[in-house]
Amino acid sequence: MNHPGELEDLLRQLAPRVLAALTRHSGNFEAAEDAAQEALLAAATQWPERGVPDSPTGWLITVASRRMTDQLRSELASRHREEKLASRTPPEELLAPAADSEPLPGEDDTLTLLMLCCHPSLTPPSQIALTLRAVGGLTTTEIARAFLVPEATMAQRISRAKGRIKASGAQFHLPPEGERADRLRSVLHALYLIFNEGYTATSGPHLQRGELTGEAIRLTRTLRRLLPDDGEVAGLLALMLLTDARRLARTRPDGSLIPHAEQDRSRWNRESINEGIALITDALARTPLGPYQLQAAIAAVHAEAERAEDTDWPQIVRLYQLLERLAPNPMVTLNQAVAVAMVDGPRAGLALLEPLGRDDRLAGHHRLHAVRAHLLEMAGDHQAARSGYQAAARLTTSLPEQRYLHGRAARLAADAQ
């Protein structure tokens, strides 16, 4: 393994298995996470020179287990409680596993680990941070850079998340059957948010962050492998693939934004589109309908159109109507308004937007102003559209979106002269 990127990919694939094995063995998520990170760092330092061991997972578990053993022995010595604790601790728990040991055949605790990282005691930002650190194998520095916050801030967020899990008394096992559906929804939502932040960054100089979209897709693929019959897992993966397929066509060489209708579709990734369409077609045929499947179906309709003007907007409107009944959400209504405008005219779309201005969840969001401005421009009300674009530009913290919105407003001002 000569390429640094290949080693990095391998370590990120192994990270959740190592952490899960340590947590299952020790019952201490925080200590296991620290030990796993040290083992991964040791591998990143030693393997380029010495080569990847025959059993990389066993090597990492061994190194991490020894670190935990050393830490435990140190604590025992400092508290002068060796004899008392030794009487309660089986000797094998103070020994590292053999270097060639692997998890039990067929055993994969990644799903348990994902659900632990998305424990209901955590806020969505904490779930995201912990998922990227524990399951994704990203360092605190990488996560902080991705979300444009200081490393110290992200370290505190991750530390608090681990503290909350410990305080909740959560054990390393799958939640009871009755709680699993809700916890899986939290896992899917966290992965969805990670992908969205990568696809359209909420702030900063770049429109998208490929490291986050790539990580979200990788983790969702892992979840798909663990739950091959879950339609919503398949739907989320299909949605990510179909959306990410447009990534290269979304920006010009200078990083400026290209709207969906103006993109060069020959630059869309056909391999990702074909995989996404196959996934959603299979899921819709054999699993109960869910929100992620409907969103993926909408993305598939867009992907199947060779030109923007070939888009089957009536079908997209019907899919949004189903989605709104299944999972009412102001962002769904916002997107539906665009589709309705393409079928019934901009005034019909604007009528759908009217109630959203009174919805606190979206009233101050730049996308509401941007969509309204777009529909006003379609309707020929260029003065109101210009004001809308300017308002949207003031509200967004994404520099590429700001530049795009200011550009739309300036073009309308120039046309009016």
Side-chain angles (χ1 to χ4, degrees), residues 155-171:
Q156 290 174 356
R157 182 178 297 173
I158 292 172
S159 178
R160 285 196 299 268
K162 290 188 285 188
R164 287 195 188 100
I165 287 178
K166 183 177 181 181
S168 74
Q171 301 296 314

Side-chain angles (χ1 to χ4, degrees), residues 87-336:
S87 67
R88 298 191 313 217
T89 305
E92 62 271 14
E93 290 196 11
L94 295 177
L95 298 175
D100 60 352
S101 66
E102 293 277 3
L104 295 176
E107 201 171 316
D108 192 328
D109 292 319
T110 303
L111 179 60
T112 305
L113 187 59
L114 274 166
M115 289 194 170
L116 185 64
C117 290
C118 293
H119 192 273
S121 66
L122 302 181
T123 63
S126 295
Q127 291 175 346
I128 290 170
L130 201 56
T131 297
L132 286 173
R133 173 68 183 263
V135 190
L138 273 67
T139 66
T140 303
T141 302
E142 289 172 323
I143 303 170
R145 187 184 305 125
F147 287 91
L148 300 178
V149 299
E151 183 177 352
T153 300
M154 186 56 69
Q156 290 174 356
R157 182 178 297 173
I158 292 172
S159 178
R160 285 196 299 268
K162 290 188 285 188
R164 287 195 188 100
I165 287 178
K166 183 177 181 181
S168 74
Q171 301 296 314
F172 190 77
H173 52 65
L174 287 172
E177 193 71 38
E179 298 177 15
R180 290 185 190 179
D182 286 341
R183 194 74 69 85
L184 179 59
R185 276 194 290 270
S186 295
V187 171
L188 293 175
H189 185 59
L191 296 175
Y192 179 69
L193 292 177
I194 292 169
F195 179 84
N196 283 348
E197 179 61 28
Y199 189 70
T200 303
T202 53
S203 59
H206 303 294
L207 178 66
Q208 46 200 4
R209 298 193 182 103
E211 73 277 11
L212 281 182
T213 53
E215 191 60 28
I217 290 171
R218 187 182 72 81
L219 292 174
T220 308
R221 283 192 188 280
T222 298
L223 193 59
R224 163 76 173 161
R225 175 176 57 80
L226 298 171
L227 299 171
D229 296 321
D230 190 287
E232 280 294 81
V233 174
L236 179 58
L237 179 56
L239 174 62
M240 289 180 178
L241 290 169
L242 290 163
T243 305
D244 190 60
R246 304 193 294 261
R247 176 164 39 93
L248 294 179
R250 295 181 70 219
T251 54
R252 297 181 177 86
D254 62 359
S256 59
L257 184 154
I258 303 175
H260 183 270
E262 299 174 18
Q263 290 172 12
D264 178 359
R265 299 189 176 210
S266 69
R267 301 189 66 201
W268 288 5
N269 187 319
R270 297 310 308 181
E271 183 178 346
S272 293
I273 289 172
N274 291 338
E275 183 183 0
I277 289 175
L279 274 169
I280 190 55
T281 301
D282 176 69
L284 290 172
R286 64 183 185 87
T287 65
L289 190 63
Y292 290 116
Q293 293 173 61
L294 285 169
Q295 291 180 69
I298 292 167
V301 175
H302 281 294
E304 289 172 333
E306 294 186 6
R307 302 174 303 164
E309 53 266 36
D310 297 331
T311 305
D312 188 346
W313 286 108
Q315 184 180 0
I316 289 175
V317 169
R318 290 192 293 272
L319 289 169
Y320 271 123
Q321 289 170 343
L322 276 174
L323 181 57
E324 191 169 43
R325 286 200 294 269
L326 194 63
N329 184 288
M331 199 61 76
V332 172
T333 305
L334 184 67
N335 291 325
Q336 183 185 2

Side-chain angles (χ1 to χ4, degrees), residues 7 10-11 14-15 17-19 21-22 35-68 96-103:
L7 177 59
L10 174 62
L11 292 176
L14 297 178
R17 295 185 64 189
V18 174
L19 176 55
L22 294 170
Q37 288 296 319
E38 289 197 16
L40 291 166
L41 179 60
T45 303
Q46 297 177 29
W47 290 2
E49 295 181 1
R50 303 178 185 178
V52 177
D54 293 337
S55 175
T57 305
W59 190 98
L60 289 166
I61 292 174
T62 296
V63 172
S65 297
R66 286 173 179 161
R67 191 269 182 194
M68 293 184 74
D100 60 352
S101 66
E102 293 277 3

Side-chain angles (χ1 to χ4, degrees), residues 324-375:
E324 191 169 43
R325 286 200 294 269
L326 194 63
N329 184 288
M331 199 61 76
V332 172
T333 305
L334 184 67
N335 291 325
Q336 183 185 2
V338 176
V340 168
M342 299 301 293
V343 175
D344 299 324
R347 293 298 173 186
L350 286 165
L352 278 181
L353 294 182
E354 193 62 33
L356 297 183
R358 299 186 293 273
D359 190 321
D360 292 339
R361 293 172 294 176
L362 203 62
H365 198 289
H366 77 278
R367 281 206 63 203
L368 175 58
H369 292 273
V371 170
R372 182 184 285 120
H374 173 59
L375 298 187

